[in-house]
Amino acid sequence: MLRWIIFISIYIAISIYVLQGLKAASRFPWVHYAYITISLLVIGNFIFQFTFGEQEGRVLSVAKSYAFGFLLAMIAFNLVTIVFLFSEDIYRLIAGTYHKIFGESREFSVPARRRFLSLMALGIASLPFGALLFGMYKGKYNFKVLKYNLEFDDLPDAFHGYQITQISDVHSGSFDDREKIEYAINLINEQNSDALLFTGDMVNNKAEEMKPWAELFSGLRAKDGKFSVLGNHDYGDYVQWESDAAKAKNLNDLKNLQREMGFDLLLNEHRYLKKGDDKIALIGVENWGRGGFKKAGDLKKAVSIIHKDDFKILMSHDPSHWEDVVIHDEHHYHLTLSGHTHGMQFGIEIPGWIKWSPVKWRYKYWAGIYEELGQYINVNRGFGFLGYPGRVGIWPEISVITLKKKSLT
């Protein structure tokens, strides 16, 4: 209860402060009342959804995600506005103090707010506010196909031109538009890839979240099959289960559901993809993550019966596994496929110019292709979304990777 009181008090104080700037910028009372009404509705809905609106067994329902999203947009608007207003207030305070000490009247008088600065503050603050709302409305389903060509000296000849489609982080419990998901499934199939690889987080928490979408995902096609691994959310670790048996059943249900949808789920094991006499090893490990995330991945077990010199593609959900373990392993993993970061669902990307997201402060390898010690990783930006029900600048991704042998290019 105390944390709610503190949070609401801070939110109201900030809103009142922003309202003063709004009054300086606009003389129309209806604008002020509109801001007050929206502020109260946003905080009221957030409190309701995260208290009385709690759904048993789910960390974030769709309604709760939207409540969080609207609150995030409002906070972004307020904080940007405050930066300008507070800077001006410091100037006003200094000016008033100066007049008190050196002025003729020796009276302390704070200059009025300048309407131009208030308008500029509100105008700039509307940019992140509008972007976050757009991300919730359109951005989260703004699917992009990103294509990469990777060359290797030791790729088996028969696999020159072999095409892989990778998707990751479906988070089906967050979906709210069947038509958009159907479009994305068709977009994946249009790539006509040889193999489809899914790198974890099929659900937010519970296997039942995937059931309304299972028919659509069953329609995914690839010539040599569909393969998957588990991500940190697939284990149900973020739910208060009534018993350990219920949690174990949920995980088993999810594994079975993936297999029913046609995925070959790799649990610290491998498969060989073959073309004539040539083959490449496809390796899948369970989740291994740094900093408190589950470490069920067992790389040694997964490669225990494959040849050290085989060409290897590794599926591992969390890119920190690649950084901390894989690239330093005695085996050479030519290509690792990961996800997990979502690119934080927020950032700026202009190919060839800028690639930035706050998630870079947590993950060194957070989106796209990287190379270290002659080994590649692709960190997929994610198919779905979690928490904030949108995406801004970091769009949902379908990765298409073509393997090429250098001597044949």
Side-chain angles (χ1 to χ4, degrees), residues 183-198:
Y183 162 78
I185 296 297
N186 291 334
L187 191 59
I188 293 170
N189 286 335
E190 286 173 8
Q191 307 313 309
N192 198 31
S193 290
D194 295 289
L196 174 65
L197 308 183
F198 169 66

Side-chain angles (χ1 to χ4, degrees), residues 3 58 64 75 83 106 158 188 195 215 231 239 258 260 270 295 300 305 318 330 343 357 383-384 386 398:
R3 64 180 181 177
R58 299 188 66 180
K64 288 168 69 177
I75 288 175
V83 169
R106 298 299 176 95
I188 293 170
E215 181 183 355
V239 173
Q258 289 203 28
E260 290 170 10
H270 78 280
K295 290 180 170 61
K300 298 297 183 186
I305 58 174
D318 192 320
E330 60 181 353
S357 168
F383 182 93
L386 181 69
I398 298 164

Side-chain angles (χ1 to χ4, degrees), residues 84-278:
F84 285 87
L85 297 184
F86 187 67
S87 299
E88 186 187 17
D89 283 347
I90 292 176
Y91 164 78
R92 294 167 65 211
L93 182 62
I94 293 173
T97 303
Y98 178 86
H99 288 303
K100 170 68 176 176
I101 298 174
F102 302 105
E104 294 182 2
S105 64
R106 298 299 176 95
E107 292 182 3
F108 183 78
S109 177
V110 178
R113 289 189 185 277
R114 288 173 287 181
R115 184 167 183 266
F116 170 75
L117 279 179
S118 294
L119 283 170
M120 185 171 69
L122 295 170
I124 294 175
S126 68
L127 296 178
F129 178 76
L132 288 166
L133 292 181
F134 174 82
M136 295 165 62
Y137 175 61
K138 282 270 192 181
K140 61 186 177 184
Y141 295 129
N142 186 26
F143 294 99
K144 301 295 182 183
V145 176
L146 301 185
K147 297 187 176 184
Y148 306 99
N149 293 317
L150 298 180
E151 295 185 341
F152 303 89
D153 290 316
D154 54 349
L155 179 72
D157 290 353
F159 284 89
H160 177 70
Y162 195 81
Q163 184 172 290
I164 295 165
T165 291
Q166 179 200 2
I167 59 173
S168 192
D169 299 87
V170 165
H171 289 289
S172 55
S174 299
F175 293 158
D176 59 2
D177 191 324
R178 190 173 187 84
E179 184 177 333
K180 296 295 186 182
I181 301 304
E182 187 173 358
Y183 162 78
I185 296 297
N186 291 334
L187 191 59
I188 293 170
N189 286 335
E190 286 173 8
Q191 307 313 309
N192 198 31
S193 290
D194 295 289
L196 174 65
L197 308 183
F198 169 66
T199 47
D201 277 1
M202 184 71 78
V203 297
N204 294 345
N205 299 292
K206 303 181 76 175
E208 67 185 35
E209 297 167 14
M210 190 62 200
K211 289 182 179 178
W213 313 98
E215 181 183 355
L216 285 178
F217 281 82
S218 296
L220 287 169
R221 299 186 302 274
K223 301 167 188 173
D224 294 338
K226 306 183 295 189
F227 303 87
S228 64
V229 294
L230 298 175
N232 56 298
H233 279 267
D234 294 324
Y235 296 90
D237 288 342
Y238 311 117
V239 173
Q240 190 86 28
W241 297 95
E242 60 269 23
S243 66
D244 290 340
K247 182 180 179 181
K249 182 180 182 303
N250 176 72
L251 179 57
N252 191 55
D253 287 346
L254 181 61
K255 291 176 181 178
N256 289 334
L257 184 57
Q258 289 203 28
R259 291 168 181 140
E260 290 170 10
M261 291 188 293
F263 286 94
D264 186 353
L265 179 61
L266 304 182
L267 302 169
N268 297 322
E269 51 191 328
H270 78 280
R271 303 285 186 267
Y272 276 112
L273 301 174
K274 298 180 179 180
K275 282 190 172 295
D277 294 331
D278 288 339

Side-chain angles (χ1 to χ4, degrees), residues 23-37:
K23 287 181 176 179
S26 174
R27 306 293 194 274
F28 299 105
W30 70 266
V31 175
H32 314 153
Y33 294 134
Y35 173 78
I36 293 170
T37 301

Side-chain angles (χ1 to χ4, degrees), residues 54 72 77 123 142 158 171 180 242 269 299 302 305 331 351-352 354 374 390 394:
E54 185 82 24
L72 187 64
F77 177 84
N142 186 26
H171 289 289
K180 296 295 186 182
E242 60 269 23
E269 51 191 328
L299 192 58
I305 58 174
H331 283 62
I354 185 171
I394 306 294

